[in-house]
Structures are given as structure tokens and as C-alpha cells.
Amino acid sequence: MLHNVPLPSNFMKVTVEKVLYGDLAVLVPTSEVTIVAEALHTFVAWPRHLVKPIDSTVYLCTNTNKLYIRYITF
């Protein structure tokens, strides 16, 4: 669940720690987050296949936009 909405099966819930390209659209927009810059220190949904590990707690999230995230599981 993300903001009381079920996640698609191929997505994961992540929290954004650092934004590199803030003016690009997030893949699953919400009423509060439509571009990457608005996602800083909040949760977003991101496709599993685009999340790559950097170390045990930090992952690189890619598309055309790149941002650092911490993967959160519940």
C-alpha cells in the first residue's frame, strides 16, 4: 500500500533520499507528487526492475531520471 492505494505487483515502495533530476515526472503520480523533486523525503512507487542495489540499504532508481532511494519493505 502506498497512500492507501495498493501497489501494482511489479512496483515497490521506496523513500527518496536524494534527487538528481527533479523536473522529470514520477512513474506513478499522486495528488502530492507528480515530479521527482516533489518526492524528496517521501514515499513513491517505482518499478522493481528499475531499482538497483548500491549497498545493503541504498539503491539506485533509474529510468530517464536517476535518483537515490532507500528501499522500504513492510
Side-chain angles (χ1 to χ4, degrees):
M1 295 286 283
L2 178 66
H3 306 293
N4 295 318
V5 177
L7 285 173
S9 63
N10 58 339
F11 279 72
M12 58 194 330
K13 181 179 179 178
V14 300
T15 182
V16 178
E17 299 293 327
K18 181 178 182 181
V19 172
L20 300 178
Y21 301 100
D23 58 340
L24 300 169
V26 296
L27 299 176
V28 181
T30 67
S31 60
E32 296 176 356
V33 177
T34 58
I35 61 171
V36 174
E38 297 168 337
L40 188 61
H41 304 299
T42 188
F43 293 103
V44 294
W46 209 262
R48 287 181 185 277
H49 74 281
L50 296 176
V51 179
K52 309 297 181 205
I54 294 174
D55 65 31
S56 63
T57 60
V58 180
Y59 293 67
L60 178 63
C61 179
T62 64
N63 192 3
T64 53
N65 44 340
K66 293 184 174 77
L67 65 150
Y68 288 98
I69 58 169
R70 180 167 290 130
Y71 172 44
I72 303 297
T73 57
F74 297 104

